Amino acid sequence: MTVSERGRSTLEDSVVIRGLGKTFGSVEVLRNVNLDVKKGEAVVIVGSSGSGKSTCLRCINRLEEPTEGHIFVGGHEVTGKGVDLNALRRRIGMVFQSINLYPHKTALGNVTLALRKVAGLSKAEANEKGRRHLELVGLGQKADSYPAQLSGGQQQRVGIARAMALEPDVILFDEPTSALDPELVGEVLNVMVRTKELGMTMVVVTHEMQFAREVADRVVFMDHGVVLAEGTPEEILVAPEHPRIREFLTRTKS
């Protein structure tokens, strides 16, 4: 499948998914998923646990191997044969549910590691860029702090700075607040809002419905491995037509 066969301009799209399927043994987790994410767009994926949201996200950067289908990022097919996964992951930032910082490295060291090892910047260049991105997430004063000296919210903000620093085509957020205490959730969501305001393309899996209503350009609702509906936050989260979505929203409010 070539890029031109998608029927849409790659100049407008950061992520294009066509016919994505994923099975684990006999269990079909994703079925014929199709999705387009334009440059600078924030797309939020919601749905019940087990609906395939996180698996879909992890297929985009090949942390999970798709069983079938095609995925393009920045006009490059990431599902093609012989893809350089290291080069691919330079184009795709990821912020995980579990806060995956190196405990023996400072906040700055965590942000600059990929800048030096993957992007090939000198130590001075990486440090300058790393400090700038820590400033963007409000942690410039914590550059020399180790993860154990930071709150969970601060650690997750370091993770966002690390993802942003490589200037990827898209940042994937996989339930970035689910491991945090409730009082720390807001500070991470605020940084994600600022990330969107900077023009970063974002695909976010979250259970934070208020965030989805306020920040998403589009909301995608997944159910049992398929995209059941997509549209504006108003269409999906405020006045949904589909009874399954209404049921889901009722349960999230209870």
Side-chain angles (χ1 to χ4, degrees):
M1 180 179 184
T2 65
V3 174
S4 61
E5 287 176 312
R6 294 184 295 110
R8 295 190 56 176
S9 170
T10 60
L11 296 177
E12 295 180 354
D13 298 323
S14 283
V15 180
V16 174
I17 300 174
R18 289 292 179 269
L20 177 62
K22 175 65 180 177
T23 59
F24 292 101
S26 61
V27 180
E28 191 175 35
V29 179
L30 297 174
R31 184 170 72 254
N32 194 32
V33 172
N34 297 286
L35 182 65
D36 299 279
V37 183
K38 293 183 179 180
K39 287 183 179 180
E41 190 176 29
V43 172
V44 176
I45 305 176
V46 300
S48 299
S49 177
S51 61
K53 309 182 302 295
S54 291
T55 300
C56 180
L57 208 67
R58 292 168 65 87
C59 282
I60 295 174
N61 67 357
R62 299 275 299 276
L63 287 176
E64 295 288 356
E65 284 295 320
T67 304
E68 60 185 6
H70 302 270
I71 302 172
F72 297 85
V73 174
H76 300 271
E77 185 171 6
V78 305
T79 46
K81 293 182 179 179
V83 170
D84 184 338
L85 290 180
N86 289 327
L88 161 68
R89 288 171 183 154
R90 283 188 58 182
R91 311 179 70 92
I92 306 171
M94 183 135 189
V95 179
F96 296 88
Q97 176 177 345
S98 55
I99 303 169
N100 293 324
L101 299 183
Y102 291 102
H104 62 288
K105 291 187 176 293
T106 64
L108 182 63
N110 271 279
V111 175
T112 58
L113 182 63
L115 291 173
R116 293 169 58 198
K117 300 295 185 180
V118 179
L121 299 186
S122 69
K123 183 176 181 179
E125 290 171 327
N127 284 348
E128 189 278 330
K129 194 169 188 179
R131 289 184 185 278
R132 187 167 72 248
H133 281 83
L134 284 172
E135 290 283 354
L136 287 175
V137 300
L139 290 176
Q141 78 283 8
K142 297 291 187 179
D144 297 323
S145 298
Y146 289 88
Q149 299 170 309
L150 302 173
S151 71
Q154 289 172 332
Q155 291 180 44
Q156 194 62 291
R157 285 153 63 190
V158 173
I160 295 173
R162 178 175 60 185
M164 292 174 62
L166 283 171
E167 299 177 353
D169 291 314
V170 60
I171 297 182
L172 312 176
F173 294 83
D174 187 10
E175 297 278 12
T177 61
S178 64
L180 301 178
D181 292 333
E183 64 267 23
L184 301 176
V185 169
E187 66 181 78
V188 173
L189 295 180
N190 287 337
V191 168
M192 292 172 66
V193 171
R194 292 203 295 274
T195 302
K196 180 185 185 314
E197 291 171 347
L198 291 170
M200 179 61 67
T201 307
M202 302 164 58
V203 183
V204 184
V205 168
T206 186
H207 60 276
E208 299 287 346
M209 294 298 107
Q210 186 63 31
F211 171 82
R213 283 191 289 269
E214 294 178 358
V215 177
D217 295 300
R218 273 187 301 128
V219 175
V220 174
F221 186 88
M222 292 191 67
D223 189 52
H224 291 94
V226 302
V227 173
L228 197 62
E230 64 174 286
T232 66
E234 171 76 21
E235 292 169 333
I236 303 300
L237 300 178
V238 179
E241 295 182 0
H242 201 289
R244 175 68 187 93
I245 303 176
R246 293 199 295 270
E247 176 192 6
F248 166 80
L249 293 175
T250 300
R251 289 183 177 180
T252 60
K253 291 175 183 177
S254 61

